[in-house]
Amino acid sequence: MPHIDYYFSTISPFTYLAGNRLEEIAARHGATIIYKPFDIGAIFGRTGGTPPKDRHPNRMAYRAQELRRGAKKAGLPMNMQPAFFPANGAPAAYAIIAAQKEGGNVGALVQNVLRAVWAEDKNIAEDAVIRDCLTAAGFEASVADKGLFTAADTYEANLEEAITRGVFGSPFYITDTDERFWGHDRLDDLDLHLSGKL
């Protein structure tokens, strides 16, 4: 059975644009997914990346066009200047980690968190927002309170593991054969790979 380790940031606009395509691809190929949220700011600093606020205006102008086009292609609503960006993505990441241990529709939870940032102008660092995201995905709101110390340790471990495995951005997908795919726009390539065509 194929497997995908999914490294992502809870505040990444390009991760939001992936929608539920990863879950659809995994279902089509019978693949399992482990969700591994990490601190995108920390990974930029350690792998040669530059946070958006420090990028040249030319790069930011192109990024804005890519996001607008990506949202249109994906059919997703998107606020190009969300009210709470960058937010502290760690609390939502902890909830995702805890929810994964509980079992359930983690993909829906991840999408709820990202939609809260990029389409609903909500602050995903707020407890009430996280609880709403959990319940909308079918989890108990109390999951947000479970294993916080363990989740925090896992969040840090995900970052170190991501760097060790070659991750430098979000979203990033790594198969059990160590094939790596960076970006929502590489999901078609992941699909082809799992089909044995790439």
Side-chain angles (χ1 to χ4, degrees):
M1 176 183 292
H3 175 76
I4 303 160
D5 283 331
Y6 179 25
Y7 296 90
F8 65 95
S9 163
T10 54
I11 62 169
S12 163
F14 293 102
T15 302
Y16 168 63
L17 293 179
N20 63 357
R21 290 176 59 216
L22 173 63
E23 289 74 20
E24 290 174 349
I25 290 166
R28 191 158 47 248
H29 297 286
T32 55
I33 304 169
I34 294 183
Y35 296 82
K36 295 179 176 278
F38 66 87
D39 181 348
I40 190 75
I43 214 164
F44 280 153
R46 293 176 60 186
T47 60
T50 305
K53 67 181 181 61
D54 298 327
R55 292 177 190 165
H56 190 278
N58 290 2
R59 289 181 176 270
M60 291 305 292
Y62 184 77
R63 177 180 183 271
Q65 288 189 353
E66 279 286 276
L67 291 174
R68 176 180 48 77
R69 290 189 294 250
K72 190 168 186 178
K73 284 169 60 177
L76 293 171
M78 186 166 201
N79 182 350
M80 297 298 293
Q81 295 183 322
F84 299 98
F85 178 81
N88 177 5
Y94 298 167
I96 291 165
I97 290 164
Q100 186 162 233
K101 288 188 177 181
E102 294 284 308
N105 194 345
V106 182
L109 174 58
V110 171
Q111 291 155 36
N112 290 347
V113 167
L114 290 159
R115 185 171 51 253
V117 177
W118 291 102
E120 298 172 351
D121 277 336
K122 295 178 180 176
N123 184 354
I124 60 165
E126 292 180 357
D127 189 57
V129 173
I130 294 169
R131 289 172 179 274
D132 286 348
C133 290
L134 282 161
T135 57
F139 294 94
E140 295 293 328
S142 60
V143 168
D145 304 319
K146 293 185 177 179
L148 292 179
F149 291 114
T150 301
D153 287 344
T154 300
Y155 186 60
E156 289 298 319
N158 286 350
L159 172 66
E160 298 304 320
E161 180 183 294
I163 292 169
T164 298
R165 296 188 69 191
V167 174
F168 51 84
S170 174
F172 211 103
Y173 316 95
I174 302 180
T175 69
D176 49 342
T177 57
D178 197 38
E179 288 292 315
R180 305 169 198 174
F181 302 88
W182 171 45
H184 73 288
D185 54 347
R186 291 297 179 267
L187 281 167
D188 288 343
D189 288 351
L190 173 60
D191 194 8
L192 288 170
H193 170 72
L194 293 174
S195 299
K197 298 176 182 176
L198 188 64

